[in-house]
Amino acid sequence: MLKVLIIGGYGNFGGYVARKLALRADIALVLAGRDHAKAQEAAAALNAVYPAQGARVDLADPAAAIAAIAPDLVINMVGPYHTQAYQVAQAAIACGAHYCDIADARDFVCGIGALDAAAKKAGVAIIAGASSVPCLTAAYLDEAEQAMAEVRSAYCGISGAEQANRGAGTVAAVLSYVGQRFDRLANGQMRPVTGWAGLHSVRYPELGRRWFGHGNIPDLGLFPARYPTLRDYAFYAGHEIAVLHFGTWMMGKLVSLGVLPRLDRFAPLLLKVSKLFNWLGNGRSGFHMVIEGIGYDGTPMVRRHWIIARSGDGPNIPCVPVILIAQMLAAGRTIAPGARPCLGLFTRAEFMAGMAGLDYTAIDE
């Protein structure tokens, strides 16, 4: 029996993970958050194969609460991660538990190696960024490395559905880099770009035109070292609804000019405003990735990948890796001790298998 503590287990993302893991008889779930009553209510509503429990864990000081629960695995589903330190992961190490999260905050994921020595000493795996980025994007690039003599450039983008479940933490994570400067790999050098600048559109199968701008994710800091032949890498983010995308783009301009402060402080308000436009959406999200390189015969190669998620299932895709980690450990498989980003832990086929039950189509060209 694997005892799994899900912090944020009654939220949008944590609730999905809990429902998937509740189907297994070899996992005992503890759902936790700041509100003990909500955690207990969510645990009871799960109807888990092995009855789930509710508990109170506050991210501000989680060590004592986590130690009292004594889990085998801690899953941190509470964002935004760009405002967090590593107190949850450190608490997991202290009680001999594995740890993972769905963080997409660049500094948070890229810096997790600071806990490597402590994790190895405790014999536990501390995995940050067990999410679409960098886990799935790296899986695509790992495949391309096998198919190509050299991977030269790659870019990807995510266009989220407005009708999908999203909370203020998710919105704050995106707004934290809108109008801000950060580096990305361009022509073999790390060069600055501005969040939500680089305005352009991409025509998707089924979805039609979606608009995008520069986004800041862990990939930008991790991939130049992981893929030595890579000379260009970019990530783009966008709204499903064009008017919201252009509104965010305009606010980003004002932030970059110093007229507005960082936008993440306005996340709750802007989330409420965005929901007024839900009627214009259709609940469909999109992901695309284009990888270019040189084949073993010396000719140029291009690989194009698309994922179209329907029925509001787009936000559930980033949850797949933490579910897979819990299932691995419950099945008795081991994960090497140490603290690291979620790179190379799953193949693309394994990731896609974890998406079973979601309403999506994957297209490879």
Side-chain angles (χ1 to χ4, degrees):
M1 183 68 66
L2 184 79
K3 192 173 188 180
V4 178
L5 168 63
I6 306 178
I7 303 177
Y10 52 81
N12 292 332
F13 295 107
Y16 175 76
V17 173
R19 290 190 296 275
K20 295 292 284 188
L21 297 181
L23 302 175
R24 296 184 63 111
D26 53 1
I27 291 179
L29 288 175
V30 180
L31 310 188
R34 286 183 296 180
D35 191 320
H36 192 189
K38 281 186 178 180
Q40 289 180 313
E41 181 181 351
L46 270 183
N47 292 317
V49 174
Y50 189 95
Q53 298 177 322
R56 185 182 187 278
V57 175
D58 191 334
L59 289 189
D61 187 15
I66 292 176
I69 294 166
D72 300 302
L73 170 66
V74 177
I75 304 178
N76 179 10
M77 301 296 294
V78 181
Y81 297 91
H82 71 278
T83 60
Q84 293 183 38
Y86 298 125
Q87 64 269 24
V88 178
Q90 289 168 326
I93 293 171
C95 66
H98 301 288
Y99 166 93
C100 59
D101 59 50
I102 61 167
D104 60 2
R106 180 173 174 174
D107 290 345
F108 184 95
V109 176
C110 293
I112 195 66
L115 304 183
D116 189 56
K120 287 178 177 175
K121 184 177 180 180
V124 297
I126 305 297
I127 309 296
S131 185
S132 304
V133 292
C135 183
L136 180 58
T137 45
Y140 277 116
L141 277 167
D142 289 346
E143 276 193 0
E145 268 202 322
Q146 297 300 312
M148 299 178 180
E150 288 188 8
V151 174
R152 295 284 181 83
S153 70
Y155 62 88
C156 62
I158 296 175
S159 174
E162 298 308 320
Q163 293 175 339
N165 286 335
R166 61 196 189 280
T170 304
V171 173
V174 174
L175 293 176
S176 69
Y177 60 70
V178 173
Q180 305 295 322
R181 300 283 277 177
F182 52 87
D183 290 342
R184 75 152 180 111
L185 185 65
N187 197 27
Q189 308 253 340
M190 296 301 287
R191 302 182 187 277
V193 294
T194 301
W196 224 259
L199 184 67
H200 68 284
S201 65
V202 174
R203 188 163 293 279
Y204 272 75
E206 183 179 326
L207 303 183
R209 174 179 286 187
R210 293 284 178 98
W211 289 93
F212 292 89
H214 282 294
N216 192 16
I217 57 170
D219 302 26
L220 303 185
L222 297 171
F223 287 1
R226 183 173 175 83
Y227 305 103
T229 63
L230 194 65
R231 294 186 56 78
D232 291 274
Y233 188 81
F235 170 76
Y236 301 100
H239 291 289
E240 172 192 6
I241 299 169
V243 65
L244 289 179
H245 187 89
F246 288 115
T248 305
W249 174 78
M250 181 58 69
M251 287 190 293
K253 281 283 190 183
L254 295 176
V255 170
S256 66
L257 293 172
V259 176
L260 287 179
R262 281 175 56 117
L263 297 179
D264 48 338
R265 69 178 64 185
F266 305 120
L269 172 62
L270 293 176
L271 175 60
K272 289 180 181 178
V273 172
S274 72
K275 288 183 176 180
L276 298 175
F277 296 85
N278 278 1
W279 64 278
L280 292 172
N282 55 32
R284 293 181 295 178
S285 303
F287 165 88
H288 68 277
M289 189 166 194
V290 179
I291 305 170
E292 300 178 353
I294 303 298
Y296 288 101
D297 60 358
T299 61
M301 289 183 65
V302 181
R303 295 162 67 99
R304 294 182 176 87
H305 307 282
W306 313 85
I307 297 176
I308 311 301
R310 308 176 193 88
S311 307
D313 274 344
N316 295 329
I317 295 174
C319 300
V320 167
V322 297
I323 295 170
L324 293 177
I325 288 170
Q327 292 172 340
M328 284 176 62
L329 294 172
R333 295 170 61 188
T334 59
I335 302 176
R340 57 196 180 275
C342 192
L343 298 169
L345 195 55
F346 305 109
T347 65
R348 179 163 71 113
E350 288 170 331
F351 193 108
M352 293 296 183
M355 291 168 59
L358 298 179
D359 185 4
Y360 80 96
T361 298
I363 303 168
D364 301 316
E365 299 176 347

